[in-house]
């Protein structure tokens, strides 16, 4: 009897066990899904390169000109094309950074409150309200930012410019958008912050609530206050989730189109001022939709889309590095 039990428990017996049908199906579906998403991403990248190369070859300065030219785009005359991404990249990154600076502390506070301080009866209703922000269409945020938020911030912008106007981020130029409309990069950053807030808050909260109860109870037993419990157990445990949520929000901010299209006054230049207008990768592509009947002209904007595509990979790589290091 003992010998039979030892045979059953031996590694040789377990290794020779036949997989169940359900295990085979699940393994096949998982492998197929992983392969499929990799193929789709690779296909998108190859398509963008294929459509961008003919336009880049006609661009004045070629690829180098594409990376350095900061003037107004000339793509209608395909025999004398001039286009480049420095201004688009700078505006896209600046607005996204402003959105993260505003949204991340607020989202962290919401996640801590809902996971550690809010009464149990209020957690679900409040969490539902925060999640509802993610369901609001982009065009609604655009209308709100254009018609309500921008004009409402006129007094704040005037006050900020009165004492910080000498700083390059708050400089007002002759052709800058009026404070009465508020159609500047600052307003766009605030709108983006509201849009990505529920993504960061929901992801962070879901990680915070997974903090091992034993660690929390041990800290309380040692006399730690509620804030000390959060600082010593919840925050270290949930840091990776917080970073991941922020990167998800950044991904939406980088590719947002309609809201920024309506909120920010378009401009081909970039002067490092939040009180100025500007154009992101996404809004530039949306503005140029009438040119897409010409493959060469469209290829210039597809090249910009390729840069945005690569930028998301860089952001995700940085996020994974931060999480792994932590």
């Amino acid at each position: 009897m003992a010998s039979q039990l030892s045979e059953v428990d031996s590694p040789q017996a377990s290794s020779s066990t036949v997989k169940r049908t359900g295990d085979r199906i699940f393994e096949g579906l998982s492998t197929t899904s992983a392969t499929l998403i990799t193929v789709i991403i690779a296909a998108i990248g190859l398509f963008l390169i294929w459509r961008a190369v003919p336009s880049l070859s006609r661009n004045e300065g070629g690829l180098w000109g594409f990376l350095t030219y900061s003037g107004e785009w000339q793509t209608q005359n395909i025999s004398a094309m001039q286009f480049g991404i420095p201004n688009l990249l700078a505006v896209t990154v600046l607005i996204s950074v402003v959105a993260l600076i505003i949204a991340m502390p607020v989202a962290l506070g919401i996640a801590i409150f809902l996971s550690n301080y809010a009464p149990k009866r209020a957690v679900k209703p409040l969490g539902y309200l925060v999640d509802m922000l993610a369901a609001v269409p982009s065009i609604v945020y655009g209308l709100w930012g254009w018609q309500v938020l921008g004009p409402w911030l006129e007094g704040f912008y005037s006050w900020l410019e009165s004492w910080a106007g000498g700083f390059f981020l708050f400089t007002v130029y002759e052709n800058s958008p009026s404070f009465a409309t508020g159609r500047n990069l600052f307003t766009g950053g605030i709108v983006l912050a509201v849009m990505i807030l529920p993504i960061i808050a929901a992801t962070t909260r879901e990680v915070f609530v997974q903090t091992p109860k034993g660690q929390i109870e041990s800290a309380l037993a040692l006399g730690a206050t509620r804030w000390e419990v959060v600082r010593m157990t919840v925050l270290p445990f949930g840091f990776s989730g917080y970073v991941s949520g922020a990167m998800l929000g950044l991904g939406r901010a980088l590719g947002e189109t309609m809201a920024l299209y309506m909120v920010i006054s378009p401009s081909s230049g970039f002067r490092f001022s939040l009180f100025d207008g500007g154009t992101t990768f996404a809004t530039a592509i949306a503005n140029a939709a009438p040119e897409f009947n010409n493959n060469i002209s469209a290829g210039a904007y597809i090249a910009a889309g390729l840069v945005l595509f690569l930028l998301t990979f860089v952001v995700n790589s940085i996020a994974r590095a931060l999480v792994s290091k932590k």
Side-chain angles (χ1 to χ4, degrees):
M1 185 67 177
S3 62
Q4 292 177 354
L5 290 175
S6 62
E7 290 178 1
V8 172
D9 295 335
S10 65
Q12 291 81 2
S14 61
S15 62
S16 61
T17 302
V18 178
K19 291 183 180 180
R20 297 178 180 179
T21 303
D23 292 336
R24 286 204 194 104
I25 295 174
F26 181 76
E27 181 180 355
L29 290 175
S30 301
T31 304
T32 302
S33 299
T35 304
L36 181 62
I37 192 64
T38 303
V39 170
I40 290 175
I41 293 174
I44 292 173
L46 291 174
F47 168 78
L48 293 175
I49 294 173
W50 171 57
R51 293 294 303 273
V53 167
S55 298
L56 290 174
S57 63
R58 291 172 178 262
N59 186 33
E60 184 175 330
L63 179 61
W64 178 250
F66 176 68
L67 297 175
T68 58
Y69 177 71
S70 58
E72 188 172 352
W73 282 35
Q74 305 291 340
T75 57
Q76 294 184 353
N77 184 0
I78 61 175
S79 61
M81 299 180 69
Q82 280 187 301
F83 56 92
I85 60 166
N87 291 345
L88 301 181
L89 178 62
V91 172
T92 302
V93 172
L94 179 60
I95 293 180
S96 300
V97 169
V98 170
L100 281 182
I101 291 174
I102 297 172
M104 286 184 68
V106 178
L108 180 61
I110 292 173
I112 292 174
F113 175 75
L114 291 178
S115 60
N116 293 273
Y117 289 95
K120 291 185 178 180
R121 293 183 178 180
V123 171
K124 286 187 177 181
L126 291 176
Y128 179 75
L129 288 176
V130 174
D131 294 341
M132 279 293 293
L133 290 174
V136 177
S138 298
I139 194 169
V140 174
Y141 281 113
L143 287 171
W144 169 69
W146 175 27
Q147 297 292 328
V148 179
L149 181 64
W152 183 73
L153 290 172
E154 177 184 2
F156 170 72
Y157 289 156
S158 299
W159 170 78
L160 186 60
E161 192 272 335
S162 65
W163 63 270
F167 187 56
F168 69 95
L169 285 176
F170 306 111
T171 301
V172 177
Y173 299 94
E174 293 182 358
N175 58 344
S176 295
S178 171
F179 287 161
T181 62
R183 297 190 65 197
N184 52 44
L185 300 182
F186 205 157
T187 305
I190 296 173
V191 171
L192 272 188
V194 177
M195 295 178 70
I196 68 176
L197 177 63
I199 300 174
I200 304 175
T203 305
T204 306
R205 173 178 168 254
E206 289 301 320
V207 178
F208 281 177
V209 298
Q210 301 300 323
T211 305
K213 297 297 182 183
Q215 295 183 15
I216 297 176
E217 292 172 357
S218 299
L220 291 173
L222 292 173
T225 63
R226 183 65 63 87
W227 163 242
E228 288 173 336
V229 170
V230 171
R231 181 170 58 86
M232 294 186 298
T233 62
V234 177
L235 290 178
F237 178 83
F239 175 79
S240 61
Y242 181 50
V243 173
S244 299
M247 293 303 102
L248 287 174
L250 179 59
R252 179 173 185 181
L254 290 172
E256 180 53 42
T257 305
M258 284 308 302
L260 299 183
Y261 181 81
M262 301 177 70
V263 170
I264 301 175
S265 178
S267 173
S268 60
F270 178 72
R271 296 176 288 198
F272 293 95
S273 175
L274 292 175
F275 290 152
D276 216 352
T279 305
T280 66
F281 283 112
T283 56
I285 295 171
N287 280 325
E291 298 184 38
F292 288 176
N293 57 349
N294 185 309
N295 290 334
I296 301 299
S297 297
Y301 296 93
I302 291 176
L306 175 61
V307 175
L308 182 59
F309 183 73
L310 296 175
L311 184 60
T312 58
F313 279 95
V314 173
V315 170
N316 288 331
S317 299
I318 294 173
R320 291 183 66 87
L322 291 174
V323 172
S324 300
K325 183 178 179 181
K326 182 63 179 178

